[in-house]
Every structure is written in C-alpha cells, then in structure tokens.
Amino acid sequence: MKNPFLSGTKVYLRPLEREDAPLLVPWINDAEVTRTLEVFYRPMNLQTELEFIENIYKSEHDVVLGIAVKQTDALIGATGLHRLDGKNRRASFGIFIGEKAEWGKGYGTEVTTLMTGYAFETLNLNRVWLHVYEYNERGIRAYEKVGFTREGVLRQDRYHEGRYWDTITMAILREEWEARKRQVR
Ligand SMILES: CC(C)(COP(=O)(O)OP(=O)(O)OC[C@H]1O[C@@H](n2cnc3c(N)ncnc32)[C@H](O)[C@@H]1OP(=O)(O)O)[C@@H](O)C(=O)NCCC(=O)NCCS
C-alpha cells in the first residue's frame, strides 16, 4: 500500500497526488462514468485537474481521497466528504470508480463504509447525506447496503439524455451507524 489513509479489506484510500491527474482526467471525460455524476458534465483537462488536486487539500470543507486496490495498488477512482458543516455536524458523500472494469466488485460498498465510518468516528459528524439519480441502481444498492436510507425525492431534478429524472436524497445518521455496528458485533 502506498500512503494509505483509510484501509479496508479489498481497497484502501489515499491522498491524491499531482501524478494521479493523467489517470483521473480520461475518467472524468468518459460519459459512461459521468452519466451518474453531478458535477462532471463539462470537459476536464489536465491543468484543471491539477488545480483541483492542489486546492482541495487546502479546503476545510472537503476530505478527498483516491481509491486504490490493495492487491495491485492501482488507483481506480476517488471519493470524498464535502460541504463539511461543523455547526450542524453533517457532510455530503461522493464517490466515483472511473475504471469501469472494477464496477460491481464490492469496492464501492467498502469505500462508502470506510468514509462513513471516518465521518462518524473521526470527524464526529452526525449525518452523512448524498444525492443519487433514480437510474443509478448500482449506487443506490451500494448505499443501502451500508445503511443509507431514502429520505426524499427531488422531482425532475436531473436532465440527462433528453429527459428529466428524479434525484433521490439518501442519508445515514450517527445513531443508525452505531446501531448497525452493534448488530454486527
Ligand atoms: C456507483 C458505484 C460507486 C458503486 O460501486 P461498485 O463497486 O460498482 O458497487 P458494489 O459492487 O459495491 O455494489 C453494487 C451493488 O449493486 C448491485 N447492482 C449492480 N447493478 C445493478 C442494477 N443494475 N440494479 C440493481 N442493483 C445492481 C450489485 O449486485 C451490488 O449489490 P449486491 O452486493 O447486493 O449484489 C460505482 O459503480 C461507480 O463509481 N459508478 C460510476 C459513478 C457513480 O455512479 N458514482 C456515484 C454517484 S451517486
């Protein structure tokens, strides 16, 4: 493992470096990857990605990490807690696995578990929330497995491929996280 910050069974999370940018850029320009992502609908070039990596680690409102496979050290995507709000003790969660061959191997579920645990147990947050599009069944399933529940629907919130789609708000509270941990023990 290279510079692990959070470690799971199959993947570990590490800070992104400038050297990672050339790998990240093609993923962010890949329509199959970005069809379920909110922010990446405009073209991204290397310079923009380098600036993102440089600036994000200065932000007190974001915790961004690369996702690496333990066995190979290969970087396959990135994840983050965003909009960190110290007063209300909440943050939003985001993830993308850019290496499409790595979808469906349980990595997304493990990353969500690692980041949610970090949010509650290290950052002492009370609520982690996310937005997911109604057609992102893989994402919804992964979040449900970690204990996120559906809270509400933003109707026709997303325009994609010629029509509007609903956005689902999901969240997990600290008390729900702790109750699930007690069940596992
Ligand atoms: C969404 C994402 C993070 C999920 O990670 P992942 O590693 O692919 O997902 P996992 O393997 O951990 O879990 C996926 C689950 O969804 C299930 N699944 C896969 N395709 C599905 C489908 N079409 N319908 C319903 N469930 C589906 C899998 O079977 C698995 O559940 P199971 O373990 O009960 O069998 C990842 O696919 C990704 O980064 N996609 C592109 C970007 C993205 O959508 N980011 C999230 C934005 S909210």
Side-chain angles (χ1 to χ4, degrees):
M1 286 191 286
K2 294 177 182 161
N3 198 19
F5 181 76
L6 296 173
S7 186
T9 316
K10 294 183 269 201
V11 292
Y12 68 95
L13 308 180
R14 63 159 176 82
L16 290 170
E17 302 293 347
R18 289 175 59 84
E19 296 68 37
D20 297 319
L23 198 55
L24 292 161
V25 170
W27 293 336
I28 293 164
N29 290 311
D30 181 340
E32 275 185 76
V33 176
T34 59
R35 66 184 279 276
T36 47
L37 294 174
E38 190 172 3
V39 283
F40 304 119
Y41 61 94
R42 287 157 58 88
M44 172 79 85
N45 67 7
L46 187 58
Q47 185 55 34
T48 326
E49 183 58 24
L50 284 168
E51 284 165 15
F52 169 80
I53 291 173
E54 247 158 50
N55 291 328
I56 201 73
Y57 290 97
K58 296 176 194 157
S59 164
E60 285 178 16
H61 302 285
D62 301 271
V63 177
V64 168
L65 292 160
I67 305 168
V69 177
K70 266 189 153 175
Q71 220 170 24
T72 58
D73 278 327
L75 185 74
I76 59 166
T79 182
L81 294 167
H82 305 280
R83 300 177 182 90
L84 267 160
D85 177 340
K87 173 179 173 289
N88 298 300
R89 308 233 56 83
R90 66 177 181 222
S92 66
F93 171 71
I95 176 172
F96 80 91
I97 296 174
E99 202 64 75
K100 289 176 281 189
E102 306 294 351
W103 289 353
K105 295 185 176 176
Y107 297 158
T109 305
E110 192 171 294
V111 171
T112 308
T113 305
L114 287 170
M115 291 298 274
T116 309
Y118 176 71
F120 293 133
E121 292 165 20
T122 300
L123 298 181
N124 191 28
L125 298 185
N126 182 56
R127 169 182 163 84
V128 179
W129 62 275
L130 60 86
H131 279 169
V132 59
Y133 302 129
E134 61 173 309
Y135 54 86
N136 190 357
E137 286 143 345
R138 189 181 283 116
I140 292 168
R141 176 82 192 112
Y143 305 140
E144 280 175 343
K145 280 194 290 179
V146 178
F148 283 74
T149 54
R150 295 171 198 235
E151 291 189 328
V153 175
L154 308 176
R155 295 172 303 153
Q156 298 189 16
D157 183 56
R158 164 77 165 176
Y159 185 77
H160 176 68
E161 288 177 350
R163 58 160 281 197
Y164 289 99
W165 302 83
D166 293 346
T167 295
I168 300 167
T169 303
M170 300 183 78
I172 181 166
L173 303 179
R174 184 196 189 101
E175 63 202 43
E176 294 165 347
W177 172 261
E178 285 170 355
R180 284 174 68 90
K181 274 189 79 174
R182 281 195 299 273
Q183 275 171 15
V184 172
R185 274 191 209 125

